[in-house]
Short mmCIF file of all heavy atoms in Angstrom, two decimals:
data_model
loop_
_atom_site.label_atom_id
_atom_site.label_comp_id
_atom_site.label_asym_id
_atom_site.label_seq_id
_atom_site.Cartn_x
_atom_site.Cartn_y
_atom_site.Cartn_z
N MET T 3 5.77 3.70 17.49
CA MET T 3 5.95 3.54 16.10
C MET T 3 6.96 4.57 15.55
O MET T 3 7.74 4.24 14.66
CB MET T 3 4.62 3.66 15.35
CG MET T 3 4.67 3.26 13.95
SD MET T 3 3.13 3.27 13.07
CE MET T 3 2.19 2.05 13.94
N GLU T 4 6.93 5.76 16.06
CA GLU T 4 7.86 6.80 15.60
C GLU T 4 9.31 6.49 15.95
O GLU T 4 10.22 7.05 15.39
CB GLU T 4 7.44 8.16 16.14
CG GLU T 4 6.19 8.67 15.51
CD GLU T 4 5.81 10.03 15.98
OE1 GLU T 4 6.61 10.66 16.76
OE2 GLU T 4 4.77 10.54 15.61
N ASP T 5 9.53 5.60 16.95
CA ASP T 5 10.88 5.25 17.35
C ASP T 5 11.53 4.24 16.42
O ASP T 5 12.75 4.02 16.46
CB ASP T 5 10.85 4.65 18.76
CG ASP T 5 10.48 5.67 19.81
OD1 ASP T 5 10.65 6.89 19.56
OD2 ASP T 5 10.00 5.27 20.88
N ILE T 6 10.74 3.61 15.55
CA ILE T 6 11.27 2.61 14.65
C ILE T 6 12.16 3.30 13.58
O ILE T 6 11.71 4.25 12.90
CB ILE T 6 10.15 1.83 13.95
CG1 ILE T 6 9.32 1.07 15.00
CG2 ILE T 6 10.72 0.91 12.91
CD1 ILE T 6 8.09 0.42 14.43
N LEU T 7 13.38 2.84 13.44
CA LEU T 7 14.27 3.32 12.38
C LEU T 7 14.06 2.54 11.10
O LEU T 7 13.87 3.14 10.03
CB LEU T 7 15.71 3.21 12.83
CG LEU T 7 16.13 3.99 14.05
CD1 LEU T 7 17.55 3.66 14.44
CD2 LEU T 7 15.98 5.48 13.83
N PHE T 8 14.12 1.23 11.20
CA PHE T 8 13.87 0.39 10.06
C PHE T 8 13.50 -1.01 10.50
O PHE T 8 13.70 -1.38 11.66
CB PHE T 8 15.06 0.35 9.08
CG PHE T 8 16.29 -0.29 9.61
CD1 PHE T 8 16.55 -1.61 9.29
CD2 PHE T 8 17.20 0.41 10.38
CE1 PHE T 8 17.71 -2.22 9.77
CE2 PHE T 8 18.34 -0.19 10.86
CZ PHE T 8 18.61 -1.51 10.54
N ILE T 9 12.98 -1.78 9.57
CA ILE T 9 12.56 -3.16 9.84
C ILE T 9 13.20 -4.00 8.74
O ILE T 9 13.17 -3.63 7.57
CB ILE T 9 11.03 -3.30 9.80
CG1 ILE T 9 10.40 -2.35 10.79
CG2 ILE T 9 10.61 -4.75 10.06
CD1 ILE T 9 8.93 -2.12 10.57
N GLU T 10 13.76 -5.15 9.15
CA GLU T 10 14.39 -6.00 8.15
C GLU T 10 14.08 -7.46 8.37
O GLU T 10 13.69 -7.87 9.48
CB GLU T 10 15.93 -5.82 8.16
CG GLU T 10 16.56 -6.33 9.40
CD GLU T 10 18.08 -6.21 9.37
OE1 GLU T 10 18.66 -6.38 8.29
OE2 GLU T 10 18.66 -5.98 10.41
N LYS T 11 14.21 -8.23 7.32
CA LYS T 11 13.97 -9.66 7.39
C LYS T 11 15.35 -10.32 7.55
O LYS T 11 16.27 -10.05 6.80
CB LYS T 11 13.32 -10.09 6.08
CG LYS T 11 12.81 -11.49 6.13
CD LYS T 11 11.57 -11.53 6.97
CE LYS T 11 10.99 -12.95 6.91
NZ LYS T 11 9.98 -13.15 7.91
N GLU T 12 15.46 -11.16 8.57
CA GLU T 12 16.71 -11.93 8.82
C GLU T 12 16.31 -13.38 8.94
O GLU T 12 15.69 -13.77 9.91
CB GLU T 12 17.38 -11.49 10.10
CG GLU T 12 18.18 -10.23 10.02
CD GLU T 12 18.91 -9.93 11.34
OE1 GLU T 12 18.88 -10.76 12.25
OE2 GLU T 12 19.52 -8.87 11.38
N SER T 13 16.68 -14.16 7.96
CA SER T 13 16.32 -15.60 7.92
C SER T 13 14.81 -15.73 8.03
O SER T 13 14.08 -15.22 7.25
CB SER T 13 17.04 -16.37 9.01
OG SER T 13 18.44 -16.27 8.83
N ARG T 14 14.35 -16.38 9.09
CA ARG T 14 12.91 -16.59 9.27
C ARG T 14 12.26 -15.56 10.21
O ARG T 14 11.08 -15.67 10.51
CB ARG T 14 12.66 -17.98 9.82
CG ARG T 14 13.05 -19.06 8.82
CD ARG T 14 12.80 -20.43 9.41
NE ARG T 14 13.09 -21.41 8.39
CZ ARG T 14 12.15 -22.20 7.85
NH1 ARG T 14 10.91 -22.11 8.23
NH2 ARG T 14 12.48 -23.08 6.95
N LYS T 15 13.04 -14.64 10.69
CA LYS T 15 12.50 -13.65 11.64
C LYS T 15 12.50 -12.25 11.01
O LYS T 15 13.24 -11.96 10.09
CB LYS T 15 13.39 -13.60 12.90
CG LYS T 15 13.32 -14.91 13.67
CD LYS T 15 14.05 -14.78 14.96
CE LYS T 15 13.94 -16.12 15.66
NZ LYS T 15 14.44 -16.10 16.99
N THR T 16 11.64 -11.42 11.57
CA THR T 16 11.60 -10.03 11.19
C THR T 16 12.13 -9.24 12.37
O THR T 16 11.74 -9.48 13.52
CB THR T 16 10.14 -9.59 10.86
OG1 THR T 16 9.66 -10.43 9.81
CG2 THR T 16 10.09 -8.15 10.47
N VAL T 17 13.05 -8.32 12.11
CA VAL T 17 13.71 -7.58 13.18
C VAL T 17 13.35 -6.10 13.05
O VAL T 17 13.51 -5.50 11.97
CB VAL T 17 15.24 -7.73 13.12
CG1 VAL T 17 15.91 -7.01 14.28
CG2 VAL T 17 15.61 -9.23 13.14
N ILE T 18 12.83 -5.54 14.16
CA ILE T 18 12.48 -4.11 14.19
C ILE T 18 13.56 -3.39 14.97
O ILE T 18 13.87 -3.76 16.12
CB ILE T 18 11.11 -3.96 14.90
CG1 ILE T 18 10.03 -4.76 14.14
CG2 ILE T 18 10.73 -2.47 15.01
CD1 ILE T 18 8.74 -4.89 14.89
N HIS T 19 14.18 -2.42 14.33
CA HIS T 19 15.25 -1.68 14.91
C HIS T 19 14.81 -0.28 15.36
O HIS T 19 14.17 0.44 14.59
CB HIS T 19 16.39 -1.47 13.91
CG HIS T 19 17.02 -2.75 13.46
ND1 HIS T 19 18.09 -3.31 14.14
CD2 HIS T 19 16.74 -3.58 12.48
CE1 HIS T 19 18.45 -4.41 13.52
NE2 HIS T 19 17.65 -4.62 12.50
N THR T 20 15.14 0.06 16.61
CA THR T 20 14.91 1.43 17.11
C THR T 20 16.27 1.96 17.50
O THR T 20 17.31 1.31 17.32
CB THR T 20 13.98 1.44 18.32
OG1 THR T 20 14.63 0.78 19.39
CG2 THR T 20 12.65 0.80 18.02
N SER T 21 16.33 3.16 18.03
CA SER T 21 17.63 3.78 18.41
C SER T 21 18.32 2.92 19.47
O SER T 21 19.53 2.78 19.46
CB SER T 21 17.38 5.16 18.94
OG SER T 21 16.84 5.99 17.96
N ASN T 22 17.54 2.39 20.40
CA ASN T 22 18.14 1.68 21.55
C ASN T 22 17.88 0.19 21.62
O ASN T 22 18.56 -0.50 22.36
CB ASN T 22 17.57 2.28 22.85
CG ASN T 22 17.80 3.77 22.94
OD1 ASN T 22 18.87 4.27 22.58
ND2 ASN T 22 16.83 4.53 23.41
N GLU T 23 16.95 -0.29 20.85
CA GLU T 23 16.56 -1.69 20.98
C GLU T 23 16.50 -2.40 19.63
O GLU T 23 16.48 -1.76 18.58
CB GLU T 23 15.19 -1.82 21.66
CG GLU T 23 15.15 -1.30 23.08
CD GLU T 23 15.86 -2.19 24.05
OE1 GLU T 23 15.93 -3.41 23.85
OE2 GLU T 23 16.37 -1.66 25.06
N ARG T 24 16.35 -3.71 19.72
CA ARG T 24 16.18 -4.57 18.56
C ARG T 24 15.12 -5.61 18.98
O ARG T 24 15.28 -6.35 19.94
CB ARG T 24 17.49 -5.22 18.24
CG ARG T 24 17.48 -6.30 17.26
CD ARG T 24 18.88 -6.93 17.20
NE ARG T 24 18.78 -8.23 16.62
CZ ARG T 24 19.21 -8.52 15.38
NH1 ARG T 24 19.77 -7.59 14.65
NH2 ARG T 24 19.10 -9.73 14.92
N TYR T 25 14.02 -5.67 18.21
CA TYR T 25 12.92 -6.58 18.56
C TYR T 25 12.76 -7.60 17.43
O TYR T 25 12.70 -7.26 16.29
CB TYR T 25 11.60 -5.82 18.72
CG TYR T 25 11.70 -4.72 19.77
CD1 TYR T 25 11.94 -3.42 19.37
CD2 TYR T 25 11.50 -5.02 21.09
CE1 TYR T 25 12.00 -2.40 20.32
CE2 TYR T 25 11.56 -4.00 22.05
CZ TYR T 25 11.82 -2.72 21.66
OH TYR T 25 11.91 -1.72 22.60
N GLU T 26 12.64 -8.86 17.83
CA GLU T 26 12.46 -9.92 16.83
C GLU T 26 11.05 -10.45 16.90
O GLU T 26 10.46 -10.58 17.98
CB GLU T 26 13.45 -11.05 17.10
CG GLU T 26 14.87 -10.70 16.82
CD GLU T 26 15.83 -11.87 16.96
OE1 GLU T 26 15.36 -12.98 17.25
OE2 GLU T 26 17.03 -11.65 16.80
N THR T 27 10.48 -10.74 15.74
CA THR T 27 9.13 -11.27 15.68
C THR T 27 9.05 -12.28 14.54
O THR T 27 9.91 -12.31 13.66
CB THR T 27 8.08 -10.12 15.46
OG1 THR T 27 6.78 -10.71 15.40
CG2 THR T 27 8.35 -9.34 14.20
N THR T 28 8.03 -13.10 14.56
CA THR T 28 7.83 -14.08 13.49
C THR T 28 6.80 -13.58 12.48
O THR T 28 6.55 -14.27 11.47
CB THR T 28 7.34 -15.39 14.10
OG1 THR T 28 6.14 -15.20 14.83
CG2 THR T 28 8.41 -16.04 14.97
N GLU T 29 6.28 -12.38 12.67
CA GLU T 29 5.36 -11.81 11.67
C GLU T 29 6.11 -11.52 10.39
O GLU T 29 7.29 -11.23 10.41
CB GLU T 29 4.79 -10.48 12.18
CG GLU T 29 3.71 -10.61 13.22
CD GLU T 29 3.14 -9.31 13.57
OE1 GLU T 29 3.75 -8.61 14.43
OE2 GLU T 29 2.07 -8.94 13.00
N THR T 30 5.42 -11.61 9.28
CA THR T 30 6.07 -11.31 7.99
C THR T 30 6.16 -9.79 7.81
O THR T 30 5.46 -9.01 8.48
CB THR T 30 5.24 -11.87 6.83
OG1 THR T 30 3.99 -11.23 6.79
CG2 THR T 30 5.04 -13.39 6.99
N LEU T 31 7.00 -9.36 6.90
CA LEU T 31 7.12 -7.95 6.57
C LEU T 31 5.79 -7.39 6.08
O LEU T 31 5.41 -6.30 6.42
CB LEU T 31 8.19 -7.73 5.51
CG LEU T 31 9.59 -7.48 6.01
CD1 LEU T 31 10.48 -7.18 4.83
CD2 LEU T 31 9.68 -6.41 7.00
N SER T 32 5.06 -8.18 5.31
CA SER T 32 3.75 -7.72 4.78
C SER T 32 2.76 -7.49 5.92
O SER T 32 2.01 -6.52 5.86
CB SER T 32 3.21 -8.76 3.81
OG SER T 32 4.06 -8.90 2.72
N GLU T 33 2.77 -8.37 6.90
CA GLU T 33 1.86 -8.18 8.02
C GLU T 33 2.18 -6.93 8.81
O GLU T 33 1.30 -6.18 9.18
CB GLU T 33 1.92 -9.41 8.95
CG GLU T 33 1.36 -10.65 8.38
CD GLU T 33 1.64 -11.90 9.20
OE1 GLU T 33 2.59 -11.92 10.05
OE2 GLU T 33 0.88 -12.87 9.04
N ILE T 34 3.45 -6.70 9.03
CA ILE T 34 3.87 -5.50 9.72
C ILE T 34 3.61 -4.24 8.92
O ILE T 34 3.12 -3.26 9.44
CB ILE T 34 5.38 -5.60 10.12
CG1 ILE T 34 5.55 -6.69 11.15
CG2 ILE T 34 5.88 -4.26 10.66
CD1 ILE T 34 6.97 -7.00 11.54
N GLU T 35 3.90 -4.32 7.64
CA GLU T 35 3.71 -3.17 6.74
C GLU T 35 2.25 -2.69 6.74
O GLU T 35 1.99 -1.49 6.71
CB GLU T 35 4.15 -3.54 5.31
CG GLU T 35 4.08 -2.39 4.34
CD GLU T 35 4.55 -2.83 2.97
OE1 GLU T 35 4.55 -4.03 2.66
OE2 GLU T 35 4.95 -1.91 2.24
N SER T 36 1.32 -3.59 6.83
CA SER T 36 -0.10 -3.21 6.85
C SER T 36 -0.49 -2.45 8.10
O SER T 36 -1.49 -1.73 8.09
CB SER T 36 -0.97 -4.47 6.70
OG SER T 36 -0.88 -5.30 7.80
N LYS T 37 0.30 -2.56 9.15
CA LYS T 37 0.00 -1.89 10.42
C LYS T 37 0.72 -0.56 10.56
O LYS T 37 0.39 0.22 11.48
CB LYS T 37 0.41 -2.78 11.58
CG LYS T 37 -0.27 -4.09 11.64
CD LYS T 37 0.26 -4.96 12.77
CE LYS T 37 -0.25 -6.36 12.69
NZ LYS T 37 0.34 -7.24 13.71
N LEU T 38 1.63 -0.25 9.67
CA LEU T 38 2.46 0.94 9.80
C LEU T 38 1.80 2.19 9.18
O LEU T 38 0.96 2.07 8.28
CB LEU T 38 3.83 0.70 9.12
CG LEU T 38 4.69 -0.34 9.76
CD1 LEU T 38 5.91 -0.65 8.88
CD2 LEU T 38 5.12 0.02 11.13
N ASP T 39 2.25 3.33 9.61
CA ASP T 39 1.80 4.61 9.07
C ASP T 39 2.36 4.86 7.67
O ASP T 39 3.27 4.14 7.21
CB ASP T 39 2.19 5.77 9.99
CG ASP T 39 1.34 5.76 11.26
OD1 ASP T 39 0.24 5.22 11.25
OD2 ASP T 39 1.82 6.34 12.29
N ASP T 40 1.91 5.93 7.04
CA ASP T 40 2.30 6.26 5.66
C ASP T 40 3.76 6.62 5.51
O ASP T 40 4.28 6.59 4.39
CB ASP T 40 1.47 7.41 5.13
CG ASP T 40 0.03 7.00 4.99
OD1 ASP T 40 -0.26 5.80 4.93
OD2 ASP T 40 -0.84 7.90 4.93
N TYR T 41 4.42 6.99 6.57
CA TYR T 41 5.83 7.45 6.45
C TYR T 41 6.83 6.30 6.47
O TYR T 41 8.02 6.50 6.52
CB TYR T 41 6.18 8.51 7.47
CG TYR T 41 5.88 8.17 8.91
CD1 TYR T 41 6.76 7.46 9.70
CD2 TYR T 41 4.70 8.59 9.49
CE1 TYR T 41 6.48 7.14 11.01
CE2 TYR T 41 4.39 8.27 10.83
CZ TYR T 41 5.29 7.57 11.55
OH TYR T 41 5.01 7.24 12.84
N PHE T 42 6.33 5.08 6.38
CA PHE T 42 7.19 3.91 6.23
C PHE T 42 7.18 3.45 4.77
O PHE T 42 6.13 3.47 4.12
CB PHE T 42 6.74 2.75 7.15
CG PHE T 42 7.08 2.98 8.54
CD1 PHE T 42 6.18 3.62 9.42
CD2 PHE T 42 8.32 2.58 9.06
CE1 PHE T 42 6.53 3.83 10.74
CE2 PHE T 42 8.65 2.80 10.39
CZ PHE T 42 7.74 3.41 11.21
N PHE T 43 8.33 3.10 4.24
CA PHE T 43 8.45 2.80 2.83
C PHE T 43 9.26 1.48 2.66
O PHE T 43 10.32 1.36 3.26
CB PHE T 43 9.15 3.94 2.11
CG PHE T 43 9.28 3.72 0.63
CD1 PHE T 43 8.18 3.79 -0.15
CD2 PHE T 43 10.53 3.50 0.08
CE1 PHE T 43 8.31 3.61 -1.55
CE2 PHE T 43 10.69 3.32 -1.28
CZ PHE T 43 9.54 3.36 -2.09
N LYS T 44 8.75 0.63 1.85
CA LYS T 44 9.45 -0.63 1.59
C LYS T 44 10.47 -0.40 0.45
O LYS T 44 10.09 -0.24 -0.69
CB LYS T 44 8.44 -1.75 1.20
CG LYS T 44 9.04 -3.11 1.17
CD LYS T 44 7.94 -4.16 1.01
CE LYS T 44 8.49 -5.54 1.21
NZ LYS T 44 7.46 -6.54 1.14
N THR T 45 11.74 -0.34 0.82
CA THR T 45 12.80 -0.05 -0.15
C THR T 45 13.29 -1.25 -0.87
O THR T 45 13.94 -1.17 -1.91
CB THR T 45 13.97 0.62 0.54
OG1 THR T 45 14.50 -0.24 1.55
CG2 THR T 45 13.58 1.96 1.16
N HIS T 46 13.05 -2.40 -0.31
CA HIS T 46 13.56 -3.68 -0.82
C HIS T 46 12.64 -4.75 -0.28
O HIS T 46 11.90 -4.50 0.65
CB HIS T 46 14.99 -3.86 -0.28
CG HIS T 46 15.69 -5.05 -0.80
ND1 HIS T 46 15.67 -6.25 -0.13
CD2 HIS T 46 16.44 -5.26 -1.91
CE1 HIS T 46 16.38 -7.14 -0.79
NE2 HIS T 46 16.87 -6.57 -1.88
N ARG T 47 12.71 -5.93 -0.82
CA ARG T 47 11.82 -6.98 -0.33
C ARG T 47 12.12 -7.35 1.11
O ARG T 47 11.31 -8.00 1.80
CB ARG T 47 11.85 -8.20 -1.24
CG ARG T 47 13.20 -8.87 -1.22
CD ARG T 47 13.19 -10.06 -2.16
NE ARG T 47 14.52 -10.65 -2.10
CZ ARG T 47 14.77 -11.87 -2.46
NH1 ARG T 47 13.83 -12.64 -2.94
NH2 ARG T 47 16.02 -12.32 -2.38
N SER T 48 13.31 -6.97 1.60
CA SER T 48 13.70 -7.31 2.99
C SER T 48 13.77 -6.13 3.92
O SER T 48 14.12 -6.29 5.08
CB SER T 48 15.07 -8.00 2.96
OG SER T 48 15.01 -9.16 2.18
N TYR T 49 13.42 -4.91 3.44
CA TYR T 49 13.56 -3.74 4.30
C TYR T 49 12.39 -2.79 4.21
O TYR T 49 11.89 -2.52 3.12
CB TYR T 49 14.81 -2.92 3.90
CG TYR T 49 16.12 -3.60 4.24
CD1 TYR T 49 16.75 -4.39 3.31
CD2 TYR T 49 16.72 -3.45 5.48
CE1 TYR T 49 17.93 -5.06 3.62
CE2 TYR T 49 17.90 -4.09 5.81
CZ TYR T 49 18.50 -4.88 4.84
OH TYR T 49 19.69 -5.50 5.15
N ILE T 50 12.02 -2.25 5.34
CA ILE T 50 11.06 -1.15 5.44
C ILE T 50 11.74 -0.06 6.24
O ILE T 50 12.23 -0.35 7.32
CB ILE T 50 9.77 -1.57 6.10
CG1 ILE T 50 9.07 -2.68 5.33
CG2 ILE T 50 8.81 -0.37 6.27
CD1 ILE T 50 7.82 -3.25 5.99
N VAL T 51 11.76 1.16 5.73
CA VAL T 51 12.43 2.23 6.44
C VAL T 51 11.44 3.31 6.86
O VAL T 51 10.43 3.53 6.22
CB VAL T 51 13.58 2.85 5.61
CG1 VAL T 51 14.65 1.85 5.35
CG2 VAL T 51 13.06 3.44 4.33
N ASN T 52 11.82 4.01 7.91
CA ASN T 52 11.03 5.13 8.41
C ASN T 52 11.55 6.37 7.69
O ASN T 52 12.68 6.79 7.89
CB ASN T 52 11.21 5.26 9.92
CG ASN T 52 10.41 6.39 10.51
OD1 ASN T 52 9.92 7.27 9.82
ND2 ASN T 52 10.23 6.32 11.82
N LEU T 53 10.78 7.00 6.84
CA LEU T 53 11.22 8.14 6.05
C LEU T 53 11.44 9.38 6.91
O LEU T 53 12.14 10.30 6.49
CB LEU T 53 10.19 8.43 4.93
CG LEU T 53 10.07 7.35 3.88
CD1 LEU T 53 8.97 7.72 2.90
CD2 LEU T 53 11.38 7.11 3.16
N LYS T 54 10.88 9.41 8.09
CA LYS T 54 11.11 10.54 8.99
C LYS T 54 12.47 10.49 9.66
O LYS T 54 12.92 11.46 10.25
CB LYS T 54 10.03 10.61 10.07
CG LYS T 54 8.65 11.03 9.54
CD LYS T 54 7.70 11.18 10.67
CE LYS T 54 6.41 11.76 10.21
NZ LYS T 54 5.49 11.95 11.35
N LYS T 55 13.11 9.35 9.60
CA LYS T 55 14.43 9.20 10.27
C LYS T 55 15.50 9.22 9.21
O LYS T 55 16.62 9.17 9.38
CB LYS T 55 14.49 7.88 11.05
CG LYS T 55 13.44 7.73 12.10
CD LYS T 55 13.71 8.58 13.27
CE LYS T 55 12.68 8.38 14.37
NZ LYS T 55 12.90 9.08 15.55
#
């Protein structure tokens, strides 16, 4: 989880970005947001960023 830089919505998929990888999922941003730690912040309806990065 600490490796995640940001998460974004692209069309019908949610994309999780790390330094080295890009992961696509069909989960909604809200579903992912509920699983994340407190240092993640939803800056826009399509983006969640890691405040530690």
Side-chain angles (χ1 to χ4, degrees):
M3 190 175 299
E4 289 183 5
D5 292 337
I6 297 172
L7 298 174
F8 67 97
I9 303 163
E10 68 177 325
K11 192 72 175 168
E12 280 186 5
S13 300
R14 294 180 175 246
K15 295 186 179 186
T16 301
V17 183
I18 300 169
H19 296 270
T20 65
S21 299
N22 303 319
E23 296 288 331
R24 170 187 160 106
Y25 304 96
E26 292 185 1
T27 181
T28 55
E29 284 185 276
T30 66
L31 270 184
S32 298
E33 290 171 339
I34 292 174
E35 185 178 22
S36 68
K37 300 175 189 176
L38 295 172
D39 287 337
D40 293 341
Y41 52 86
F42 285 91
F43 182 71
K44 191 170 189 177
T45 59
H46 183 267
R47 65 182 181 159
S48 301
Y49 290 93
I50 299 174
V51 297
N52 182 343
L53 295 176
K54 288 186 173 183
K55 303 286 182 175

